């Protein structure tokens, strides 16, 4: 059994995958803030999973963790996980020593890409897809899997398309550049463009736009054009077969998918080239509730990933 843990800004989720690919029930805990608290959350979730499975933690074949921030997959060290209050933590080695089983660590979006890739394989029985996972959460980033192998790149920034500027006159991004894709197509972009007290700002935005409120329509269209640009960018740089949208905003579901497809189809009307790429048919939204990052984290420990 392989154990996968997704350490998120507010919640930590864990799932075990059996030899037959069967997923266990998901376990969720609130994530602590700061290095010691994050370590303690990880320990608790491992303990809970080993109780549920009725085995010692050391009996798991592997343990993988997906976590935001800059992850050195060779050393298991995490840096700059701002939302978790982490400047630097040797997460992998610390847990490996304590638990007596190798703990591998991967960036959460890359882990989620592996999870989404796994789901495509379950759906059609093909083991090595080429696909991109577009994470629309607080920020915007992508994980790319080519012929079944995660693209890591040499400096850990493969897929960081949220920081590709698309509007030289746009607002200043947290990265210091201007008009990055993330400043139009992300949760933080919606929070800026659509200030509200509503607990689910994106949902409110889409509902009001659907009802025809003019300003909501404007903001929604800006957002959808940004998301569609991200899809186009991924398809034209990697030519993957599928682009799967995940992350917190994927909970918008059908209205998000249909909106992105509508924009892609509008662009295709003006461009025979774009029309030939059939982009609208290659994009999908991950099923609601599928724990992509936890599933992918479990697969990070899989031998075939270890040398890539
Ligand atoms: Zn940026």
């Amino acid at each position: 059994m392989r154990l996968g843990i997704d350490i998120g800004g507010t919640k930590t989720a864990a799932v075990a995958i059996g030899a037959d690919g069967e997923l266990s029930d998901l376990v969720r805990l609130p994530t602590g803030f700061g290095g010691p608290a994050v370590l303690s959350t990880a320990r608790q979730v491992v303990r809970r999973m080993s109780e549920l499975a009725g085995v010692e933690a050391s009996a798991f074949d592997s343990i993988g963790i997906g976590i935001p921030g800059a992850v050195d997959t060779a050393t298991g060290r995490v840096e700059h996980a701002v939302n978790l209050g982490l400047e630097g933590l040797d997460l992998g080695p610390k847990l490996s020593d304590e638990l007596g089983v190798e703990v591998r660590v991967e960036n959460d979006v890359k882990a989620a890409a592996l999870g989404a890739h796994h789901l495509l394989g379950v759906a059609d029985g093909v083991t090595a897809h080429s696909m991109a996972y577009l994470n629309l959460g607080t920020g915007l980033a992508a994980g790319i899997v080519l012929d079944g192998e995660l693209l890591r790149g040499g400096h850990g920034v493969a897929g960081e398309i949220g920081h590709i500027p698309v509007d030289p006159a746009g607002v200043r991004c947290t990265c210091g550049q201007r008009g990055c894709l993330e400043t139009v197509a992300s949760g933080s972009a919606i929070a800026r463009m659509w200030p509200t007290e509503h607990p689910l700002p994106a949902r409110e935005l889409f509902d009001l736009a659907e009802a025809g409120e003019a300003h909501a329509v404007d903001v929604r269209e800006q957002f959808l054009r940004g998301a569609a640009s991200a899809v186009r960018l991924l398809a034209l740089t990697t030519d993957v077969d599928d682009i799967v949208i995940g992350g917190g905003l994927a909970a918008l579901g059908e209205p998000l998918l249909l909106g992105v497809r509508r924009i892609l189809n509008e662009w295709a009307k003006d461009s025979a080239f774009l029309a030939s790429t059939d982009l609208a048919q290659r994009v999908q939204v991950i099923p609601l509730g599928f724990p992509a990052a936890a599933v992918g984290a479990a697969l990070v420990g899989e031998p075939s990933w270890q040398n890539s």
Side-chain angles (χ1 to χ4, degrees):
M1 232 177 348
R2 298 195 294 265
L3 177 58
I5 303 171
D6 169 26
I7 300 184
T10 52
K11 288 253 185 301
T12 290
V15 72
I17 304 186
D20 54 1
E22 198 72 354
L23 300 186
S24 74
D25 285 341
L26 196 66
V27 162
R28 277 199 183 90
L29 289 177
T31 305
F33 189 80
V38 167
L39 261 177
S40 154
T41 304
R43 278 187 208 108
Q44 277 177 56
V45 86
V46 170
R47 198 179 312 130
R48 187 84 195 93
M49 290 302 290
S50 53
E51 280 167 18
L52 285 175
V55 296
E56 293 292 313
S58 57
F60 286 112
D61 296 311
S62 64
I63 299 180
I65 299 182
I67 189 165
V71 173
D72 185 332
T73 54
T75 65
R77 182 172 174 81
V78 191
E79 289 183 341
H80 313 305
V82 183
N83 292 341
L84 297 171
L86 276 188
E87 249 323 296
L89 178 66
D90 292 311
L91 181 61
K94 282 209 158 90
L95 284 177
S96 297
D97 287 351
E98 286 176 29
L99 301 171
V101 50
E102 184 167 26
V103 177
R104 294 193 157 261
V105 187
E106 182 56 89
N107 167 267
D108 60 344
V109 173
K110 290 191 174 69
L114 289 179
H117 178 266
H118 175 78
L119 196 60
L120 288 178
V122 169
D124 67 7
V126 176
T127 51
H129 284 266
S130 286
M131 55 83 64
Y133 174 81
L134 172 61
N135 193 75
L136 300 180
T138 307
L140 185 159
I144 297 158
V145 181
L146 298 176
D147 298 323
E149 296 286 333
L150 185 64
L151 177 70
R152 287 208 177 85
H155 311 86
V157 296
E160 290 289 350
I161 63 167
H163 298 294
I164 294 181
V166 290
D167 178 7
V171 300
R172 178 89 58 190
C173 179
T174 51
C175 76
Q177 303 183 97
R178 215 169 254 293
C180 291
L181 209 39
E182 184 168 294
T183 65
V184 283
S186 66
S188 59
I190 289 180
R192 190 193 74 248
M193 299 189 293
W194 185 258
T196 175
E197 297 295 310
H198 197 281
L200 298 170
R203 174 71 65 187
E204 183 193 46
L205 171 67
F206 271 65
D207 286 349
L208 289 179
E210 186 59 35
E213 209 265 278
H215 180 54
V217 171
D218 277 354
V219 174
R220 181 193 63 182
E221 292 305 290
Q222 268 193 70
F223 166 78
L224 286 175
R225 279 196 296 272
S229 296
V231 169
R232 178 178 56 187
L233 182 65
L234 287 166
L236 296 186
T237 48
T238 63
D239 199 21
V240 289
D241 298 315
D242 301 279
I243 295 105
V244 180
I245 301 178
L249 293 175
L252 287 165
E254 197 87 321
L256 172 64
L257 179 62
L258 296 180
V260 168
R261 283 184 172 162
R262 171 172 54 78
I263 303 271
L264 291 168
N265 283 328
E266 280 169 18
W267 290 343
K269 273 191 218 130
D270 297 330
S271 163
F273 163 65
L274 264 193
S276 74
T277 63
D278 202 16
L279 278 184
Q281 292 314 308
R282 286 156 68 182
V283 61
Q284 50 184 295
V285 169
I286 204 151
L288 189 63
F290 177 71
V295 169
L299 301 175
V300 168
E302 199 179 33
S304 66
W305 304 115
Q306 291 181 4
N307 301 319
S308 55

